[in-house]
């Protein structure tokens, strides 16, 4: 029933989370179990007692043994985060204003990358696999939010979201690094305004290939917040969400604690891992990087942080290739928590990739002995390993990325949370041999929505 007593017109799908508490534990969530069931209308006297800000009805009951608290959430179909019983619809968070970060000349790292992916996910035939949420677009006050094929929901970031994102960037980089980049963008913007020009303008290059505009800092701040929101959704009791996708740009995995490089200004994967650990959402985090280039920035940050003991990073990458590191398969770091898995040029899924992924990368993400069982997997999902991508020389297909996503889910189990975050991937041509970036993203989302 509705809170006002009206009988609901359709059956409810209730998400049941059983959270165990121990008297002597300092945390309220040492373990959890979950499941879903369908409740026909009229079969029970359960009523929706309240509506929270996310439009999710909340029901609680205390008629169970005190060891457990039982939570059931009614998620209306109109909610932007209505995922279905088995998370068959994956939230895809993107920033429609990402085009404020763009080069003056042709650059492979361009806004069209996001446009292509959003369009492909929206046009996917059959039952929807993605709930696309624009985190930047301001929704009209009277807007109704619906998750339908081709529809983009609006859920703009708040000032507190951006403040949290900045605090995380300062922790994985430094206050000096973040402030200098912010100041460079802000000053250039104010100078243009003072000259009577459009505030949006090109600032220059950090290195030979990594550029800045007056809005780059803010675009990256929103990208960080998107990865963070993805984490929050995964661990929100009411969402029933097992997988989320942060469809953001520019990439971030090359950004070290002190240097921008390789198209990357800030390290989103490291910031997201730090958020999950520092917020108490996860005790252990594994980062899997399948971008064709080694994410030396993630490795650098994880090796240097005291939370590194609770975080692992494994990278599968082509050698030789930028950044010309990680050319041997080995573990490094104080806690031996960084693994590099080099892939030879011209490798295909069946010749090189499959063996490395199954026998080296996945066992490091989660071992079979139970010694390392992460609560969260963050995938630095680059798609520049495609055969048609001009920035590398490996020969994967879009379908291969779907295969990797399925194998990952099988390895970590149905209840482990997975956040996918876009890194590289630059082939946008329709009909490209083996598929393009958008094809590979769709394959990944489809695989994880199964």
């Amino acid at each position: 029933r509705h809170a006002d007593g009206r009988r609901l017109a359709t059956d409810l799908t209730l998400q049941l989370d059983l959270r165990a508490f121990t008297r002597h534990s300092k945390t309220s969530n040492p373990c959890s179990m979950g499941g879903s069931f369908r409740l026909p209308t009229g079969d029970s006297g359960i009523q929706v007692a309240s509506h929270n800000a996310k439009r999710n009805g909340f029901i609680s009951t205390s008629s169970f043994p005190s060891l457990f608290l039982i939570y059931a959430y009614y998620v209306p179909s109109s909610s932007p985060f209505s995922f279905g019983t088995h998370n068959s619809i994956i939230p895809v968070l993107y920033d429609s204003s990402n085009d404020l970060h763009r080069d003056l000349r042709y650059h492979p790292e361009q806004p069209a990358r996001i446009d292509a992916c959003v369009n492909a996910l929206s046009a996917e035939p059959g039952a929807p696999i993605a709930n696309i949420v624009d985190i930047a677009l301001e929704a009209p006050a009277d807007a109704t939010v619906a998750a339908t094929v081709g529809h983009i929901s609006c859920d703009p970031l708040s000032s507190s979201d951006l403040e949290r994102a900045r605090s995380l960037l300062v922790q994985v980089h430094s206050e000096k690094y973040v402030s200098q980049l912010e100041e460079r963008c802000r000053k250039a913007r104010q100078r243009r305004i003072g000259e009577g020009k459009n505030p949006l303008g090109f600032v220059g290059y950090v290195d030979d290939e990594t550029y800045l505009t007056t809005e780059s800092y803010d675009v990256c701040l929103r990208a960080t917040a998107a990865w963070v929101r993805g984490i929050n959704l995964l661990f929100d009791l009411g969402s029933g969400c097992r997988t989320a996708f942060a469809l953001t740009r520019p990439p971030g995995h090359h950004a070290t604690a002190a240097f921008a490089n390789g198209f990357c200004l800030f390290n989103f994967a490291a910031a997201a891992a730090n958020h999950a650990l520092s917020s108490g959402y996860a005790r252990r985090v594994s980062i899997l990087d399948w971008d064709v280039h080694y994410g030396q920035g993630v490795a650098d940050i994880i090796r240097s942080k005291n939370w590194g003991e609770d975080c692992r990073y494994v990278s599968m990458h082509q050698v030789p290739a930028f950044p010309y590191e990680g050319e041997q398969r080995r573990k490094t770091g104080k806690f031996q928590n960084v693994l590099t898995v080099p892939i030879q040029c011209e490798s295909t899924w069946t010749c090189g990739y499959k063996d490395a992924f199954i026998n080296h990368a996945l066992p490091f993400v989660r071992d079979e002995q139970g010694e390392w069982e992460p609560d969260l997997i963050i995938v630095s999902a680059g798609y520049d390993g495609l055969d048609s991508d001009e920035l590398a020389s490996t020969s994967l297909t879009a379908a291969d990325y779907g295969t990797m996503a399925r194998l990952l889910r099988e390895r970590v189990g149905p209840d482990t949370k997975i956040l996918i975050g876009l890194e590289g991937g630059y082939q946008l041509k329709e009909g490209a041999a083996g598929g393009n970036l958008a094809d590979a993203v769709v394959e990944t989302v489809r695989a994880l929505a199964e």
Side-chain angles (χ1 to χ4, degrees):
R1 296 176 184 269
H2 287 285
D4 61 8
R6 291 182 293 115
R7 187 178 295 272
L8 291 164
T10 59
D11 292 354
L12 296 181
T13 296
L14 294 179
Q15 181 71 28
L16 180 65
D17 284 273
L18 219 56
R19 297 228 159 189
F21 289 74
T22 59
R23 291 183 179 180
H24 305 292
S25 175
K26 294 182 180 180
T27 175
S28 62
N29 184 26
C31 62
S32 64
M33 296 172 284
S36 299
F37 59 92
R38 196 157 191 81
L39 176 69
T41 56
D43 282 6
S44 172
I46 294 177
Q47 295 190 8
V48 179
S50 64
H51 247 235
N52 65 22
K54 293 182 179 178
R55 305 176 182 84
N56 294 333
F58 171 75
I59 309 164
S60 67
T61 177
S62 58
S63 59
F64 292 84
S66 59
L67 176 62
F68 297 101
L69 290 185
I70 311 295
Y71 296 98
Y73 291 82
Y74 161 49
V75 184
S77 61
S78 60
S79 169
F81 302 120
S82 178
F83 308 118
T85 305
H86 299 293
N87 194 193
S88 58
I89 301 179
I90 291 176
V92 177
L93 309 173
Y94 92 109
D95 171 16
S96 61
S97 61
N98 74 86
D99 61 344
L100 298 176
H101 174 75
R102 61 180 185 267
D103 205 343
L104 289 175
R105 60 192 183 188
Y106 170 76
H107 195 292
E109 205 300 285
Q110 56 182 305
R113 299 174 62 225
I114 303 300
D115 295 340
C117 295
V118 170
N119 291 337
L121 288 168
S122 298
E124 180 70 1
I129 59 172
N131 189 357
I132 306 169
V133 182
D134 187 350
I135 60 172
L137 183 64
E138 288 289 347
D142 59 348
T144 57
V145 183
T148 57
V149 177
H151 182 79
I152 298 175
S153 305
C154 310
D155 194 9
L157 296 168
S158 67
S159 58
S160 61
D161 291 331
L162 298 176
E163 289 170 4
R164 174 59 174 167
R166 192 185 193 283
S167 71
L168 290 166
L169 290 177
V170 167
Q171 292 171 40
V172 300
H173 296 285
S174 69
E175 177 64 47
K176 179 180 179 181
Y177 176 85
V178 174
S179 295
Q180 284 180 342
L181 197 149
E182 178 184 15
E183 185 177 359
R184 186 174 177 184
C185 293
R186 297 268 192 266
K187 283 186 174 180
R189 188 177 193 274
Q190 289 303 315
R191 184 166 56 249
R192 290 182 62 85
I193 293 174
E195 295 170 351
K197 298 178 180 178
N198 187 321
L200 175 61
F202 191 74
V203 175
Y205 286 88
V206 177
D207 59 18
D208 291 340
E209 54 192 13
T210 308
Y211 59 86
L212 275 182
T213 73
T214 54
E215 307 301 320
S216 294
Y217 170 80
D218 290 300
V219 169
C220 288
L221 193 64
R222 290 191 291 273
T224 307
W227 288 58
V228 170
R229 178 175 285 184
I231 299 291
N232 293 343
L233 279 172
L234 291 172
F235 290 92
D236 181 347
L237 273 174
S239 73
C241 180
R242 299 182 306 152
T243 308
F245 201 128
L247 188 64
T248 59
R249 57 171 293 272
H253 68 152
H254 291 308
T256 68
F259 296 103
N261 68 101
F263 310 166
C264 305
L265 300 172
F266 292 126
N267 203 303
F268 311 127
N274 187 25
H275 174 66
L277 291 167
S278 63
S279 298
Y281 286 140
R283 294 175 297 107
R284 287 179 169 176
V285 176
S286 287
I287 302 175
L288 168 64
D289 191 337
W290 68 40
D291 189 284
V292 78
H293 301 101
Y294 175 39
Q296 88 284 12
V298 184
D300 168 71
I301 291 169
I302 288 178
R303 282 193 294 251
S304 67
K305 300 300 178 182
N306 57 13
W307 43 267
E309 184 177 9
D310 301 316
C311 188
R312 283 186 174 187
Y313 171 74
V314 54
S315 173
M316 295 178 58
H317 49 270
Q318 176 187 312
V319 294
F322 179 87
Y324 303 101
E325 299 179 30
E327 298 191 350
Q328 296 181 0
R329 188 173 72 239
R330 63 173 182 165
K331 297 177 183 178
T332 59
K334 177 181 178 181
F335 304 105
Q336 295 289 286
N337 58 336
V338 172
L339 173 64
T340 51
V341 183
I343 301 292
Q344 297 301 312
C345 295
E346 309 303 329
S347 293
T348 64
W349 173 247
T350 55
C351 185
Y353 258 98
K354 182 178 180 180
D355 175 72
F357 190 69
I358 293 176
N359 295 321
H360 300 290
L362 287 182
F364 194 71
V365 168
R366 183 184 186 276
D367 64 40
E368 293 181 340
Q369 293 73 37
E371 296 178 359
W372 181 265
E373 295 184 346
D375 309 294
L376 169 67
I377 312 299
I378 296 174
V379 181
S380 283
Y383 296 95
D384 36 7
L386 286 169
D387 181 49
S388 59
D389 199 298
E390 297 180 355
L391 271 67
S393 303
T394 55
S395 300
L396 292 178
T397 67
D400 293 334
Y401 286 101
T403 298
M404 284 195 286
R406 290 185 187 91
L407 290 172
L408 172 62
R409 173 54 77 191
E410 290 173 6
R411 179 75 185 195
V412 302
D415 298 321
T416 302
K417 311 296 186 180
I418 298 178
L419 174 69
I420 310 290
L422 182 64
E423 297 285 2
Y426 308 98
Q427 177 55 264
L428 303 180
K429 293 179 182 178
E430 293 289 339
N436 58 27
L437 167 63
D439 296 329
V441 167
V442 169
E443 289 287 349
T444 301
V445 174
R446 185 187 293 130
L448 292 172
E450 292 175 349

